[in-house]
Amino acid sequence: MTESDAFPAPTSSLEKEAQDYGRTFSETDLCRDPLEDLEAYPPAEPIIAEETKLLLSNLLDISPVLTEVASAIIDDSFTRCFKSNPPERWNWNLYLFPLWCLGVVVRYGILFPVRVLLLTAGWIVFLTCFFPVHYCMQDHKLRRKLERDLVVFLFGSFVASWTAVIKYHGPRPSPRQKQVFVANHTSMIDFYVLEQSTAFACIMQKHPGWVGWLQTYALPSVGCISFNRTEAKDRHYVAKRLREHVEDPESNPLLIFPEGTCVNNEYVVMFKKGAFELGCTVCPIAIKYNKIFVDAFWNSRKQSFTQHLIRLMTSWAVVCDVWYMEPQNILPGETSIEFAERVRKLIADRAGIKMVPWDGYLKYQRPSPKLTEKKQQELANAVFRKLEGKLL
């Protein structure tokens, strides 16, 4: 028997534990970094996570219900830009209801007939003077000035028929070469509010009825251009006219609503880049309506423009602020899309409205499959993160 057999070295707790698991630690083992073992034996969670991701991908591919959910997400976040939020009811109690009834009598029985007479008188004066000036006057320069003044007078009559309270901020526009004005768009009355102050030449969608008659016979005298957005040839014609207009030093200031549709004055959708590719100075205009008396948003799907005007004429007043902002030029290295986004942010900040990353033309069609797939994938990622958190 050797000395070592008689007096065995004490076994460390680590060695004893290793022996219990069928493994003997050496001195090298005892000095190893524990992280090396973790690398040698990776956890199983990533494998489970990868399988979960594949499962979710397959689930989204085969589930039409989730496709509809993705479409609904788009519809909900997009259509809120085109919804008119009704004010909270305040008149359904015993002591306020009689006052509300009195207000209805005053608005419909007194104010509305007076406003109709005022607007009718404005139309009579305009029609009596405009056509003799347009067809009989030979002096082109004088005729152009009188036509412009008569158009401004007519739209002033419209604004007066709403008892509009409009506050203009900043210097008024003046005719200059290579300059275009852009504004956020809530209703067709945006043009009326701006036109009764300054004779703008506006790019506008063609409309039927008496509005179409104005677009055909009266508004071309101030340089307005009407087009149908669904006609490709009309779009090419407008692009050509735009370039000609901004190069003419005698033309009226050009006004464009680059959203391309009416939004509820709480959001501003993406700007079309056409106005920002003309190589000229862009002058932003911010328009903000106060909804204390009436919501000025025009939902063309639910009411005609005539019905919209009657709603305004039967309200107490239209209250509005208009800001003529500092002119902007495209920066070196800036694209037309980036320029449009910068101007959009200026208008949104000034008017106190929210920017949303939507194309206004989606209003006229359902979301495209590409957009639905994008939202679908966002939903998949959100579910995956939730499951991954539970697994960990």
Side-chain angles (χ1 to χ4, degrees):
M1 180 181 295
T2 64
E3 184 178 354
S4 59
D5 294 332
F7 302 96
T11 304
S12 69
S13 60
L14 286 174
E15 288 176 337
K16 185 177 182 180
E17 185 178 351
Q19 290 174 4
D20 292 338
Y21 283 93
R23 176 185 173 189
T24 302
F25 278 94
S26 65
E27 292 182 3
T28 306
D29 291 328
L30 293 174
C31 298
R32 285 178 64 182
D33 187 351
L35 293 178
E36 294 182 12
D37 286 337
L38 291 177
E39 293 175 0
Y41 300 93
E45 279 81 1
I47 300 175
I48 298 174
E50 186 65 29
E51 292 178 353
T52 306
K53 186 180 289 186
L54 293 173
L55 176 63
L56 285 173
S57 178
N58 294 333
L59 180 63
L60 290 175
D61 287 339
I62 65 174
S63 174
V65 176
L66 288 179
T67 302
E68 289 299 320
V69 169
S71 298
I73 292 172
I74 297 170
D75 288 340
D76 181 63
S77 60
F78 175 72
T79 56
R80 66 185 177 186
C81 303
F82 308 99
K83 289 182 179 178
S84 179
N85 299 319
E88 295 183 6
R89 295 185 180 276
W90 57 269
N91 55 341
W92 301 115
N93 54 59
L94 186 60
Y95 54 90
L96 288 178
F97 184 71
L99 294 177
W100 178 82
C101 292
L102 178 62
V104 171
V105 171
V106 172
R107 289 188 291 115
Y108 285 85
I110 300 175
L111 291 181
F112 181 60
V114 170
R115 291 168 175 174
V116 170
L117 289 175
L118 180 63
L119 183 58
T120 302
W123 270 104
I124 291 172
V125 172
F126 173 78
L127 294 174
T128 302
C129 300
F130 181 81
F131 287 105
V133 168
H134 184 73
Y135 290 107
C136 301
M137 186 166 288
Q138 300 298 323
D139 189 334
H140 176 73
K141 189 174 182 178
L142 179 60
R143 183 181 75 232
R144 193 171 179 176
K145 180 181 182 306
L146 290 176
E147 287 175 345
R148 183 173 62 243
D149 292 343
L150 286 169
V151 169
V152 170
F153 168 80
L154 177 63
F155 286 105
S157 301
F158 275 101
V159 173
S161 70
W162 316 322
T163 318
V165 181
I166 305 171
K167 189 173 182 180
Y168 296 94
H169 309 265
R172 301 294 174 88
S174 58
R176 291 181 184 177
Q177 194 175 8
K178 297 187 75 65
Q179 180 176 263
V180 60
F181 291 81
V182 297
N184 58 302
H185 199 22
T186 305
S187 166
M188 200 190 301
I189 70 168
D190 299 336
F191 174 62
Y192 292 41
V193 166
L194 297 175
E195 193 74 7
Q196 68 98 28
S197 172
T198 303
F200 282 104
C202 185
I203 310 301
M204 56 183 68
Q205 165 73 19
K206 286 182 179 178
H207 291 274
W210 62 269
V211 177
W213 183 89
L214 269 179
Q215 291 177 320
T216 302
Y217 296 101
L219 295 181
S221 63
V222 293
C224 291
I225 305 169
S226 301
F227 74 103
N228 190 338
R229 63 168 60 94
T230 60
E231 296 289 339
K233 62 179 182 180
D234 280 14
R235 295 197 296 270
H236 292 307
Y237 169 74
V238 168
K240 179 182 177 183
R241 285 290 307 273
L242 283 177
R243 298 188 180 280
E244 293 174 352
H245 189 99
V246 297
E247 296 292 343
D248 185 359
E250 296 185 359
S251 61
N252 293 320
L254 180 63
L255 173 65
I256 298 176
F257 297 104
E259 289 174 287
T261 188
C262 296
V263 187
N264 64 6
N265 209 228
E266 296 177 8
Y267 301 91
V268 55
V269 299
M270 293 171 59
F271 282 2
K272 299 292 181 293
K273 64 180 182 177
F276 304 89
E277 294 179 324
L278 298 175
C280 57
T281 301
V282 175
C283 303
I285 302 175
I287 306 173
K288 182 63 177 178
Y289 293 94
N290 190 324
K291 299 182 180 181
I292 186 172
F293 295 126
V294 67
D295 186 357
F297 170 57
W298 176 38
N299 190 337
S300 58
R301 288 186 169 185
K302 293 186 176 180
Q303 58 182 188
S304 67
F305 186 61
T306 301
Q307 292 172 324
H308 179 59
L309 288 181
I310 292 174
R311 186 164 65 88
L312 299 180
M313 293 172 68
T314 53
S315 68
W316 289 109
V318 174
V319 182
C320 175
D321 282 277
V322 177
W323 289 272
Y324 295 108
M325 302 169 67
E326 184 178 350
Q328 304 291 320
N329 290 290
I330 192 167
L331 300 176
E334 188 176 41
T335 66
S336 58
I337 296 176
E338 293 170 340
F339 186 24
E341 284 297 290
R342 179 161 61 87
V343 172
R344 183 166 78 113
K345 187 177 187 308
L346 290 173
I347 292 175
D349 291 345
R350 177 67 274 182
I353 53 183
K354 299 176 184 178
M355 295 175 60
V356 291
W358 296 115
D359 186 338
Y361 281 178
L362 281 175
K363 179 180 178 181
Y364 303 100
Q365 57 188 2
R366 283 190 60 80
S368 66
K370 184 177 180 181
L371 194 58
T372 300
E373 288 172 8
K374 181 181 177 182
K375 286 294 180 182
Q376 195 176 359
Q377 188 59 49
E378 289 177 4
L379 177 63
N381 293 337
V383 175
F384 171 70
R385 286 193 297 269
K386 190 73 173 178
L387 291 176
E388 188 179 40
K390 289 186 177 295
L391 289 173
L392 295 176

